[in-house]
Structures are given as C-alpha cells and as structure tokens.
Amino acid sequence: MLDIIIGAVVIVFCLGASSAFVFYSRRQIEKISRMKRTTYRDIMKNRHG
Amino acid sequence: MNLFHLTMMGLGMMIGAGVFLGIGNAIRIAGPGGLLLTFALNTLLALFTAMSYAELSSAIPRAGGAYNFARIGFGGGTSFLAGWMEWFASSVAGSMYAITFAIYTVRYLEQLRFLSWLAVPTLLVKPVAVLIALFFLYINYRGASETGKIGAIMTAGQTLFLIAIGVVGVVVAIRDPSRLQNFQSFLPFGWSPLFITMGFTYVAFEGFEVIAQAGDEAIEPKKNLPKAMLYSVYVVGITYVVVAFATVISVKAGSPDVTGEPWQWIGSFRERGFGEAVARLIPFGNFLLTLAVIFASTSALNATIYSATRASYALGRDRMLPKPFARISKRRKTPWFALLATGFIVLVVATVLPTMDVASSASMMFLFLFFLVNLCVIKIRLNMSDELQYGYLTPLFPIVPMLAISVQVVLAAELRHMSLIALIVAPAWSLAGLFIYKFYSSSRALPAESEIRVLEEVEVPEGDEYRIMVPVANPETALSLAWNTNKIGRSRPSQIKLLHMVPVPDQVALSDAEKYMTEGREGIVEAMLYLVQRFPVTTTFRYCRNIARGITSAVREKKIGLLIMGWHGEGWDRRFRIGSTLDPVISRSPCDIVILKDCGSKTFRNILVPLFGEANDAFALDTAERMAQEKDGVITAMPVRGAANKQRGIWSEERYLGRLLRRVEHQPVKVQLKGTPPMDPVKAVLQEAEKHDLVVLGLAGSFLRQVGVPTVAEQIARQCVTPLVLAKASKGLSAFTKKWI
C-alpha cells in the first residue's frame, strides 16, 4: 500500500512539475520575444520588468 | 514550418514505436505501477533535456541539431562525436521502427489467419522489417517525403488515437472500478527495475532532436523551436502515462484466457503486449491498432532515415568523413552515398540484433547524445551568453542540465541489465568515432567559420616559467601596460605572452580579417620592445568575432597563470559591471587577473588596499606589494567589512592582516593597518583613496552571476579617480569549473 501511495505521489509530482516547467517556459518565451535585445544579460536584467 | 508543423514533427518521431514496443516489456520488468512511473519519470527527464535543446535551438536556430551545438560549444572532436552518435542513434532508431512495423503487421496477418501456412509466423518479422526499411531507403533516395501538412495531420491522427485509448481506459476504470485491482501488485520487484525500464523506453522521447534539425525551415525559429520541443515532449509524456494506465486496466483479472495476474499476462507477450491488451479494450482494437502502428512506424522510419542521412552528409560535407559522404545524386539531388551507408546500418542492425537489443542500443546512443547536448548548454551559456540572442533560457540553470546528465549516466549504466549487446555496441561505436577522428578527421576537417583563428604567432620555447598574458588593444596604453607588467612579473621567472585580438564584424568575411591586423601591430611591437629585454616574450595576433571569447580561449589554450589587462574606466553600457569585454573575461578566465586603470608609467609609494574579508584580499595585497616602490613603498591595509564583526569581538583586524601577510609571496615593503571610520564603506574608501597614489581592490563577489547589484568593490572601482588596480584570484571550485567547462 505504501508503494502505491509513494508511486502515486511521484507520478503526480512528475506530471505537475512537467506542467509547471512547460507553462513557465511558454510565458518566458513570449516575454523574450517582445524584447529587442536578448542576450543572457539582457534577459536577466529585464526578468522583473 | 509553423509551430503546429514543428510540434507534430516531434510527436511523429516519438509516438512511433517506443510506446508500442516498450509497454509490454516495461510491465514485465517493473510491474503495473512501474510502467506508469517509468513514463512519468521519463517525461520529466526528457523535458530537462528538451529544455537544453530548446535553449540551444533558440540561440542557434540552424539545421544540424546536436552536431551543430557541439561544434559551437566544444569544437572539432566533440562535434564529430556528436554527429557520429547522431548518425548511429537515428539509424538504429530506424531499425527499431522497421521492426515495430513488422511485428504488428505479422501479428495482424496471423490473427486474420493469412499466415496459417507458416509453422512459426514470427520468423517473418525480420524479412518484413528489411523490406519496409528498403522501401523507405528508396523513398528517401527519390527525395520524396511527406509534405509538412499531410505528415502533421497523420501524426495528429496517431496522437488522437492514443489519447482515445487512454480516455477509453479511464472510462472503463470508472464504470468497472474492480479493474483498479490490477494495480494491487504496484511494484512487484521494487523500485530498482525502474532504471532499466526508463533506460530502454527513453528512445520514445527523442523527437526534439528532429525538431532541432529543422532549424532552417522554421517560421519564427527563436519562438517556435523551443515551444514545439517542450509541447511535443509534454503531450507525448501525458499521452504515454494515460495509455499505460489504460493498458493495465484493459485486461480483467480472472478472465478465462488470462493466466496469472493481468500485468503478468500482458508482459508475457513482451513487444506485442500492448497490442494484445488494447485489442480487449476497444472495438476493432486489432485493426485500429495495426493501422496506427503502420502509420506511426512508417512516418518515424522515414524521418529517422532522413535524419541519419543528414547527419552523415554533414560530417562528409565538413570533411570529417570521406568525401563520398557529401556526394549528391545529379538526378535526384539526394546524398546517395550517405543514404547508402545509413541503409547499411539500418539493415544490419534490424537483421542481426534481437528486437530489445535494437531498442536498448538506440536508447543508449540517444542517452550519450543528450548527455553531450546537456554539457553543450552549460558550456555555451557560460562562454557565449553575451554573444547569442536567446529565445528561451532553461530555468534553474545549471541544476536542470546537471540533473539530466547525472540521471542519463545512471540510465545508460543500468541498460546493461536489459541488453549486454547494447552495452557493447554503443560504447564501441563511440570509441570507433574517437579513433576515426584522431587518425582521419582531425587532420582533414574544414575549420568552422566562427572559430578563433591565429593570424600570426611568434613563439619562444616553452619553459617552466610563470605564464603572464597581456592583451594589448590600444597602442597608446601599450607601453604603460608593459611597464606595469614588468613590475608585476619581475619577482619570479616569467614568460610574457602579448596578445592582440582582431575583432572582425559579422558583416565581414573572416577571410578578409588580414585587413584589420595592421591596426594592432604598433602597440604589440612597442610593448614587446620594452619587455623583451627582461622576459621571454611571445606575440600573437588572432582574429575573432568576440574579443572576450578570444581572450578566454587563448588563456585556456596557453595555460596562462596571470592575465593583465587595461581598463579605460566605466563604459556607456549600464548592462555591464565593469565593461563588455572585461566582465565576461573576469567571469570565465581560469587564471589570476589584474586590471589596471590610469596606472601609466608611474612609481607608487603610498598604496591603499581595502580588505573585504574575502578570498581576493590576499591576492590584492600581493599585487600591491609588487606594484609598490621596493624600498620606500608603504601599503595601507583598510579592512572595510570587519567593523560590525569587530564590535561583536569576533574579528580582529590585526590577526586578519597577519594571516594575509603570511600568505603573500614576498614582503619587502612596509604594511600598515588603518581602521575604517564609521560611515558608508564606499565613501570611506574613496575619501582615503585621495591620500594615496594607487588603490588596489580585490574584486570581491561572484562574477558568475554576471548581473545584479554592483558589489562594494565595483562601486568603488567606478567612482575612484585615483589610479586603480583590480585583482581577482583564481581559486577553488569556480576555477576548476572554468578550467574544464
């Protein structure tokens, strides 16, 4: 039973983390696409803007 | 190709065979819960690598995939290995798709009793696989391929079919909850078999490689390539988990023809397990499944042959493999020799190796390849992040790529339990690649356009001397740089390497770089004439697209111990802490660095050294002693960070200075201690600086962050009008990382 609970938690965690990464990334890609200069430094400077 | 086409292209590669072949074997090895966990964990792991691919493709959106990234990140040998592995991995994946097609086609024909005349119908699997592989080799030779639109629609159909299986599975589970009992033996063999099943099903997540190959043809590549990669892995991951769930509950325990537990029954069919299970779940299951497999495996087979041919053609084009690999058919305009060589691998692997060994070998090769790409993303971010225009940045960098690398190493090692043959084939192919590169490709490979080239180099015999590199940019300050280099280097046997980087704008071909070379010659000659009487001196002219990268690469190549550079003061570009060239050089060079500002050709008697209680204090003190007038020089050490600690009685300025002085190499000058007044440390140091000839600052704070609030040392450096020296020592883990990455 413990295996089932831990397994279910791991599956939910993996799919949840994957969803979070994908949606965060989508937002980031859209944000970067609106910037003029997009070197690493430029993106980091504007990450809160 | 737009976002939809690119996403479908990736999905088409992934949804091909991994799931059809992998489910039966994964459930046999890891049990019903293990099957779900395998796909869930692989989704997250594949997403980590997809994020690395997404970052690199958005910054370097050119065709070539991993080969291209490795060429830019690491150069010749590694890029050859990437292309070499990409070729083999795609070819072996092609063999796997041909076998998948054959297994499911033979199974269907067997059920229709068309093969009753055969004693062992499965003997037909290999010949059918060879025939289908030959057919698609011919299709590729003809140059005909699915158009983007039709291919995308077919892939969408396949994906929807699999999602439909998943949905039916969920509905069946809701209507008949007793089937959830199939999960009772969740992990019958424990957690460890998960590494094996994750390893051999990993090939089912490799679609982003083909998306990276399409960089040239994508609309808005900076935006669409990373999105397509992430979406395709995400969709495929969720689909696999749902389909795996449906497979487990598709068989009702206790049915007359089901022996043992349902998962054991499904697993007993191995590669065919998925088909046997799904046939019980949906009406016309056999027919629909066979149709889906035929579409999925043929489109994936076509794509992998195309991808493998492209990889070997690229190696031939860059002369890393013999010229025939780059030959194009006059009639069909296709690289016929590269295709022939690819076809040979596909057919041999499909014929000779057992099915699961083919799948395991493909997985292992892709694990190697992805391992390399994850290294590339770290290396390129650390070394070229100021040159590339990114469309996407991997979050939690560098944890995510490092985690992916670690897990990939474990999975590759664990694959030995699944297939010993894969453990021999994949490393043997990689070793053969290294051998070919060393004895054939390295001497023949065409140089990449973006590489840093040496225009002219006058070398002296290498000795045991301490190596000091001095990049000379401005002829007007060359002599003062040489003067101060003499001061810093004179106390020990040193060899000076004068370097002039010739920046060539992107608009100018590198072949015309010689025109720019004369601009720096004057400065180098002046510095050399001064230094050559005191040290062995080497002069080098190099051209490059980016000066910082050129200097850093020269520092690594020549194993430099100390880099001395000039600084004209705060620049116009507020994005940089010190300057657009100095910031990246400071953060990436694996050596001690001394930066001189307004030092001229003066002698210094009163030197101020603010101490920040950090690692660079000793090096700053050491540099100050070298810069000082030997007999009557006085150094004032001013601890600026110790005031608060001192009040609490846990820090003694005297003890700290004593400890620092024991660490510096020579002490011919007088060192005195000056307490910090109770005020803002920046103001305190600037006030004190006015009373001195020179300020030597240890560059406290990590430059790896590259951005953020300037440190106290940087604020002082920007505002200080007294001649200034910035000193940064190379120590510890960060120096080790910089040296190797």
Side-chain angles (χ1 to χ4, degrees):
Chain A
M1 192 61 193
L2 188 67
D3 274 348
I4 297 180
I5 294 168
I6 296 172
V9 169
V10 172
I11 292 168
V12 170
F13 170 77
C14 288
L15 299 184
S18 302
S19 308
F21 274 125
V22 170
F23 290 112
Y24 168 81
S25 300
R26 184 179 165 274
R27 213 170 128 241
Q28 193 211 40
I29 292 165
E30 290 297 338
K31 199 171 157 191
I32 292 173
S33 71
R34 288 193 294 271
M35 290 165 63
K36 274 186 183 173
R37 287 188 303 189
T38 59
T39 63
Y40 171 70
R41 199 179 295 272
D42 296 319
I43 296 168
M44 282 300 155
K45 280 268 175 194
N46 290 309
R47 67 187 187 276
H48 302 303
Chain B
M1 279 193 262
N2 60 23
L3 177 62
F4 177 70
H5 294 142
L6 290 167
T7 310
M8 288 302 138
M9 194 176 171
L11 273 176
M13 273 286 277
M14 289 188 264
I15 226 139
V19 69
F20 300 123
L21 279 188
I23 282 184
N25 279 299
I27 203 168
R28 180 174 62 85
I29 295 167
L35 176 69
L36 262 67
L37 279 164
T38 296
F39 285 115
L41 287 164
N42 261 350
T43 303
L44 191 59
L45 178 62
L47 200 66
F48 285 174
T49 304
M51 288 194 283
S52 295
Y53 261 95
E55 175 171 329
L56 292 172
S57 298
S58 77
I60 312 161
R62 276 178 296 204
Y67 169 67
N68 200 24
F69 305 147
R71 196 163 171 77
I72 289 165
F74 289 93
T78 316
S79 70
F80 172 79
L81 205 59
W84 180 253
M85 292 198 296
E86 202 173 341
W87 179 29
F88 191 65
S90 296
S91 303
V92 177
S95 310
M96 191 182 73
Y97 295 134
I99 291 174
T100 311
F101 173 90
I103 286 175
Y104 277 82
T105 307
V106 168
R107 175 182 164 276
Y108 190 61
L109 292 175
E110 201 184 332
Q111 283 172 345
L112 292 178
R113 302 191 187 284
F114 284 170
L115 303 177
S116 49
W117 51 277
L118 267 173
V120 189
T122 46
L123 284 179
L124 263 186
V125 167
K126 293 280 179 181
V128 172
V130 169
L131 280 178
I132 192 72
L134 281 171
F135 177 71
F136 276 97
L137 284 166
Y138 178 68
I139 293 280
N140 269 270
Y141 171 68
R142 289 282 302 256
S145 60
E146 295 170 350
T147 61
K149 217 174 237 177
I150 294 173
I153 291 167
M154 276 173 64
T155 304
Q158 294 155 23
T159 313
L160 286 175
F161 175 69
L162 282 179
I163 291 172
I165 292 174
V167 170
V168 171
V170 172
V171 171
V172 167
I174 292 168
R175 289 175 65 177
D176 182 6
S178 67
R179 291 190 183 224
L180 291 174
Q181 292 293 320
N182 292 1
F183 283 103
Q184 207 161 24
S185 315
F186 196 73
L187 290 164
F189 309 111
W191 288 79
S192 52
L194 281 180
F195 288 113
I196 306 169
T197 51
M198 280 176 71
F200 79 80
T201 56
Y202 197 66
V203 69
F205 291 86
E206 46 83 22
F208 35 83
E209 170 61 27
V210 85
I211 300 177
Q213 294 269 11
D216 284 341
E217 297 141 52
I219 300 167
E220 288 192 81
K222 281 191 181 299
K223 199 171 155 184
N224 286 336
L225 287 174
K227 272 188 181 176
M229 288 173 180
L230 300 175
Y231 288 173
S232 56
V233 172
Y234 184 62
V235 169
V236 101
I238 301 283
T239 307
Y240 284 169
V241 172
V242 180
V243 165
F245 174 81
T247 309
V248 175
I249 60 100
S250 62
V251 180
K252 197 166 170 64
S255 298
D257 54 342
V258 174
T259 50
E261 285 192 53
W263 66 270
Q264 287 169 324
W265 183 81
I266 298 168
S268 67
F269 291 98
R270 296 182 176 236
E271 293 89 47
R272 294 162 49 154
F274 176 63
E276 297 297 333
V278 169
R280 291 170 163 258
L281 194 67
I282 50 174
F284 307 108
N286 265 326
F287 172 72
L288 288 174
L289 183 72
T290 309
L291 210 63
V293 173
I294 286 173
F295 280 132
S297 53
T298 50
S299 64
L301 175 60
N302 193 30
T304 42
I305 290 175
Y306 172 77
S307 177
T309 307
R310 210 171 214 204
S312 57
Y313 167 75
L315 290 172
R317 183 199 57 206
D318 295 338
R319 299 286 179 273
M320 290 193 176
L321 284 180
K323 269 185 188 176
F325 278 89
R327 278 192 196 143
I328 303 277
S329 158
K330 281 182 189 159
R331 196 165 155 218
R332 300 289 181 191
K333 309 288 178 211
T334 44
W336 64 271
F337 190 86
L339 186 62
L340 202 66
T342 302
F344 179 74
I345 298 175
V346 172
L347 294 176
V348 166
V349 172
T351 316
V352 174
L353 292 187
T355 310
M356 280 325 292
D357 291 312
V358 177
S360 302
S361 301
S363 270
M364 193 173 277
M365 289 310 299
F366 276 112
L367 283 168
F368 281 6
L369 192 66
F370 295 161
F371 174 88
L372 206 59
V373 171
N374 281 308
L375 272 184
C376 279
V377 82
I378 297 174
K379 169 116 181 172
I380 290 177
R381 175 88 77 93
L382 291 179
N383 290 321
M384 297 174 68
S385 58
D386 284 326
E387 297 165 56
L388 297 172
Q389 297 289 327
Y390 287 91
Y392 170 70
L393 289 176
T394 305
L396 303 178
F397 181 89
I399 298 168
V400 164
M402 282 168 77
L403 206 60
I405 286 170
S406 324
V407 180
Q408 279 157 1
V409 169
V410 174
L411 293 188
E414 287 297 315
L415 265 175
R416 72 183 188 277
H417 297 298
M418 194 66 202
S419 163
L420 264 179
I421 292 176
L423 197 69
I424 297 165
V425 169
W429 181 263
S430 308
L431 282 176
L434 285 175
F435 185 80
I436 291 172
Y437 181 78
K438 176 124 181 90
F439 294 104
Y440 179 86
S441 318
S442 57
S443 56
R444 292 174 174 83
L446 299 176
E449 265 242 322
S450 56
E451 278 173 12
I452 295 146
R453 303 256 192 94
V454 177
L455 286 181
E456 187 182 296
E457 191 158 51
V458 182
E459 279 284 5
V460 292
E462 297 289 343
D464 296 333
E465 299 103 337
Y466 187 60
R467 296 179 187 184
I468 301 176
M469 178 167 274
V470 187
V472 180
N474 183 0
E476 288 169 18
T477 56
L479 201 59
S480 72
L481 258 181
W483 165 272
N484 290 301
T485 300
N486 173 41
K487 275 198 216 170
I488 295 167
R490 68 191 164 187
S491 59
R492 60 182 143 185
S494 303
Q495 188 185 100
I496 310 289
K497 293 184 182 293
L498 295 172
L499 173 74
H500 181 66
M501 295 306 304
V502 185
V504 182
D506 287 339
Q507 297 83 350
V508 178
L510 288 178
S511 52
D512 294 334
E514 280 81 357
K515 292 174 190 167
Y516 294 81
M517 195 179 85
T518 49
E519 289 172 14
R521 189 180 289 274
E522 191 189 330
I524 285 265
V525 170
E526 213 169 313
M528 188 181 70
L529 286 175
Y530 179 82
L531 290 168
V532 80
Q533 301 158 30
R534 297 160 177 88
F535 304 96
V537 179
T538 300
T539 58
T540 309
F541 287 81
R542 293 174 168 220
Y543 65 73
C544 60
R545 296 287 186 204
N546 180 283
I547 296 177
R549 190 150 60 91
I551 294 172
T552 316
S553 103
V555 164
R556 286 206 180 101
E557 193 185 307
K558 303 286 179 190
K559 297 184 174 64
I560 296 301
L562 173 66
L563 180 69
I564 300 178
M565 295 180 72
W567 180 37
H568 52 71
E570 194 186 355
W572 57 272
D573 196 336
R574 289 280 170 175
R575 292 177 303 155
F576 297 94
R577 290 175 166 197
I578 292 186
S580 58
T581 300
L582 283 173
D583 274 17
V585 169
I586 292 167
S587 66
R588 293 168 200 162
S589 296
C591 66
D592 295 339
I593 300 170
V594 167
I595 296 163
L596 308 165
K597 182 192 160 202
D598 300 334
C599 289
S601 306
K602 301 168 194 166
T603 50
F604 302 108
R605 286 191 176 80
N606 287 311
I607 301 180
L608 176 67
V609 183
L611 302 176
F612 298 96
E614 294 194 22
N616 289 300
D617 286 350
F619 184 56
L621 211 53
D622 185 51
T623 308
E625 289 191 341
R626 291 174 196 280
M627 294 290 287
Q629 185 75 1
E630 276 183 27
K631 285 179 186 166
D632 53 355
V634 177
I635 292 173
T636 308
M638 184 179 175
V640 292
R641 279 287 174 85
N645 290 337
K646 191 184 169 191
Q647 278 172 7
R648 292 202 296 268
I650 57 171
W651 199 74
S652 156
E653 291 170 342
E654 292 80 7
R655 265 212 312 271
Y656 180 61
L657 182 63
R659 215 167 56 228
L660 290 179
L661 288 174
R662 280 195 295 278
R663 283 164 59 188
V664 300
E665 285 181 18
H666 65 118
Q667 304 166 29
V669 289
K670 185 183 166 192
V671 180
Q672 63 184 27
L673 192 65
K674 163 110 184 133
T676 316
M679 60 192 293
D680 174 42
V682 178
K683 282 184 186 162
V685 172
L686 289 173
Q687 261 181 24
E688 192 62 28
E690 288 171 13
K691 303 172 198 162
H692 291 78
D693 305 332
L694 177 72
V695 178
V696 180
L697 276 176
L699 264 179
S702 171
F703 263 79
L704 271 178
R705 288 181 282 120
Q706 295 190 356
V707 288
V709 182
T711 61
V712 174
E714 288 156 10
Q715 290 178 54
I716 295 168
R718 284 180 177 187
Q719 296 172 46
C720 185
V721 288
T722 311
L724 181 76
V725 173
L726 300 172
K728 186 164 196 301
S730 170
K731 278 177 190 164
L733 184 64
S734 88
F736 179 82
T737 315
K738 283 181 207 172
K739 196 170 176 183
W740 294 104
I741 298 184

